[in-house]
Amino acid sequence: MVERLDEAARAGLAAALPEWKPAEGRDAIRREFRFRDFNEAWGFMARVALLAEAQDHHPEWSNVYNRVDILLTTHDAGGLSERDLRLARAIDGLAGR
């Protein structure tokens, strides 16, 4: 079973993933990405989907034109886990940020 993050890991979140913010009302992190247009946003989502599938960890997300909103939490753990941090770092890498 996947374990939720402990307090020590949570304390380092802001430094480790500065673009990711706590999701209001959830034990989760979220980030908004903006692109030049819908095509670029959709291409990013396709790359994230392949990455998420390879990690067997899937985001909650939405897309409106050039904006992609991603929320990460581990449902099996009932909140944030190391799986979320690993996927967030990989997504940041895809975005070049």
Side-chain angles (χ1 to χ4, degrees):
M1 177 161 164
V2 180
E3 299 290 324
R4 289 174 69 170
L5 292 179
D6 62 23
E7 291 306 313
R10 289 171 186 276
L13 280 176
L17 297 167
E19 301 295 324
W20 294 83
K21 305 301 178 207
E24 189 174 324
R26 306 236 354 235
D27 189 18
I29 54 175
R30 69 177 332 122
R31 181 167 175 194
E32 179 182 288
F33 296 86
R34 293 206 178 242
F35 301 93
R36 284 180 293 165
D37 55 28
F38 177 77
N39 187 52
E40 192 174 295
W42 190 262
F44 172 73
M45 289 180 74
R47 290 188 303 280
V48 170
L50 293 172
L51 179 67
E53 188 65 17
Q55 292 189 17
D56 193 28
H57 190 54
H58 305 92
E60 296 179 26
W61 58 3
S62 65
N63 165 242
V64 177
Y65 184 60
N66 69 334
R67 191 181 76 236
V68 177
D69 294 306
I70 300 178
L71 183 135
L72 298 176
T73 190
T74 303
H75 297 120
D76 291 346
L80 280 172
S81 76
E82 182 58 40
R83 296 180 82 189
D84 301 304
L85 306 186
R86 185 172 47 249
L87 185 55
R89 286 190 293 269
I91 291 169
D92 284 351
L94 284 178
R97 303 172 187 179

